[in-house]
């Protein structure tokens, strides 16, 4: 599941969803959906968002594996093999 800090950055800079949407040439509904985690932007929009907030895509977006939040509270386990 993709998580993001768009709302945190936007509110921190005192910008409305409508103003951010206009700046990026997308709808306010797109910004709302991104903030709610209902829509994952493509690379071009993700980079545009990061540039608008003067940060990196990696800081703004982060992939959380299913169960990652629950596992963070459990004791350290050995890494799982891929495959």
């Amino acid at each position: 599941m993709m998580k993001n800090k768009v709302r945190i950055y936007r509110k921190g800079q005192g910008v409305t969803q409508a103003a951010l949407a206009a700046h990026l040439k997308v709808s306010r509904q797109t910004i709302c959906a991104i903030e709610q985690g209902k829509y994952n932007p493509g690379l071009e929009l993700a980079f545009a968002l990061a540039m608008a907030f003067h940060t990196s895509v990696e800081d703004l977006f982060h992939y959380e594996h299913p169960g990652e939040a629950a596992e963070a509270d459990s004791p350290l386990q050995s890494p799982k093999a891929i495959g």
Side-chain angles (χ1 to χ4, degrees), residues 38-52:
K38 294 180 179 180
Y39 172 71
N40 294 323
L43 284 174
E44 188 174 342
L45 181 52
F47 275 96
L49 280 160
M51 288 190 301

Side-chain angles (χ1 to χ4, degrees), residues 42-69:
L43 284 174
E44 188 174 342
L45 181 52
F47 275 96
L49 280 160
M51 288 190 301
F53 295 126
H54 305 288
T55 192
S56 66
V57 171
E58 293 85 357
D59 185 52
L60 198 57
F61 295 93
H62 138 255
Y63 181 77
E64 185 175 281
H65 297 278
E68 182 177 314

Side-chain angles (χ1 to χ4, degrees), residues 65 71 77-83:
H65 297 278
E71 290 174 10
Q77 300 175 6
S78 61
K80 297 176 185 170
I82 298 174

Side-chain angles (χ1 to χ4, degrees), residues 13-36:
Q13 293 188 10
V15 177
T16 64
Q17 287 180 341
L20 179 59
H23 176 75
L24 297 172
K25 297 178 176 55
V26 298
S27 69
R28 184 198 58 78
Q29 290 83 358
T30 296
I31 300 301
C32 183
I34 292 169
E35 289 183 353
Q36 292 177 352

